[in-house]
Amino acid sequence: MARNNDESHQRVYERSIVDTDLQQQHGSLKILKNEFDDLMRNPPEGFLVQPDQSDFFTWNVGIFGAPNTLFAGGYYKGTLKFPLDYPYRPPKFKFLSNIWHPNVYLDGQICISILHEPGDDERSGEKACERWSAVQNVRSILLSIISMLNEPNISSPANVDASIDYRKYQEDPTNSSTYKDKLDRLIETSRAMANAEGIEIPQTIEEYTKRFSRRLPLTTNDCIEDNDLNEDDDEQSEVSS
């Protein structure tokens, strides 16, 4: 299965290059390919990634709730959609799984500084150093999302009701358990989804911090034609690596 996945990713990448006319877009694809290869060589803690089977600019993501947190035992699916001029502009992340969190809008979009357009923002008060820059990558994005899950920012919430629930829970977890109760119900739902996909959710710190070599299930079974990269492409890819 792993070999089939690798071959499929290469076909999607090559087809994307054939379908991409602008040199800048071609460069963005190469950067994404190198990032994915790096994640496969050095698998991350806490999440899985899989490029979509028809578009290398869209990645499917699985995030595990970290043990000893309110999201422990959960499995949360989402998508990263990269702009054609990546990494000069940030991708957009959206949760596909239902999630109750102060910094996640009801439609699954998230509000974190690292994914905001680069530069100072006088309206929000965010400095350029807090926002997107070309030195960021998929690994740092997803680690930031995991950090966001564990440490919500309630000063400017995307979901006001979730923010109120969270604040009350912080102040009196015994008598104001609405926030945790909602999360527990969603965690149970996410476990059923993980079981259906054959995904094993880590339950301990040892399991969570191991390197996940397993991939997400393929999202489609579409037959994608093979297209060979020319020699120049291969040479450029080696230089980028």
Side-chain angles (χ1 to χ4, degrees), residues 68-82:
N68 302 325
T69 72
L70 291 174
F71 290 86
Y75 168 63
Y76 309 96
K77 299 180 67 173
T79 58
L80 269 172
K81 292 186 178 293
F82 299 91

Side-chain angles (χ1 to χ4, degrees), residues 166-182:
Y166 176 72
R167 187 175 67 250
K168 289 180 178 178
Y169 176 78
Q170 279 189 308
E171 295 171 351
D172 187 1
T174 301
N175 297 312
S176 300
S177 62
T178 300
Y179 186 73
K180 186 177 186 305
D181 292 341
K182 289 181 179 179

Side-chain angles (χ1 to χ4, degrees), residues 78-168:
T79 58
L80 269 172
K81 292 186 178 293
F82 299 91
L84 298 181
D85 56 353
Y86 178 83
Y88 301 105
R89 293 180 56 245
K92 294 184 182 300
F93 181 86
K94 180 178 181 178
F95 277 106
L96 302 179
S97 303
N98 289 329
I99 191 165
W100 189 248
H101 190 280
N103 306 123
V104 181
Y105 293 98
L106 292 177
D107 65 356
Q109 303 284 346
I110 67 173
C111 182
I112 56 174
S113 298
I114 192 177
L115 293 183
H116 292 165
E117 293 288 341
D120 293 336
D121 185 355
E122 295 182 0
R123 186 176 62 179
S124 68
E126 288 180 341
K127 302 296 184 182
C129 61
E130 301 174 285
R131 297 162 68 90
W132 178 259
S133 71
V135 301
Q136 304 290 356
N137 54 38
V138 173
R139 191 185 298 269
S140 63
I141 291 169
L142 294 177
L143 290 175
S144 294
I145 293 173
I146 290 174
S147 177
M148 175 205 75
L149 290 178
N150 300 337
E151 299 178 4
N153 176 8
I154 59 176
S155 62
S156 56
N159 183 330
V160 175
D161 291 337
S163 179
I164 293 172
D165 286 346
Y166 176 72
R167 187 175 67 250
K168 289 180 178 178

Side-chain angles (χ1 to χ4, degrees), residues 187-213:
I187 286 172
E188 287 302 315
T189 300
S190 76
R191 285 175 177 168
M193 178 173 58
N195 288 335
E197 295 184 357
I199 299 294
E200 184 177 349
I201 299 175
Q203 302 298 323
T204 65
I205 291 292
E206 290 74 18
E207 292 174 350
Y208 184 82
T209 55
K210 74 177 181 180
R211 300 300 178 175
F212 290 100
S213 58

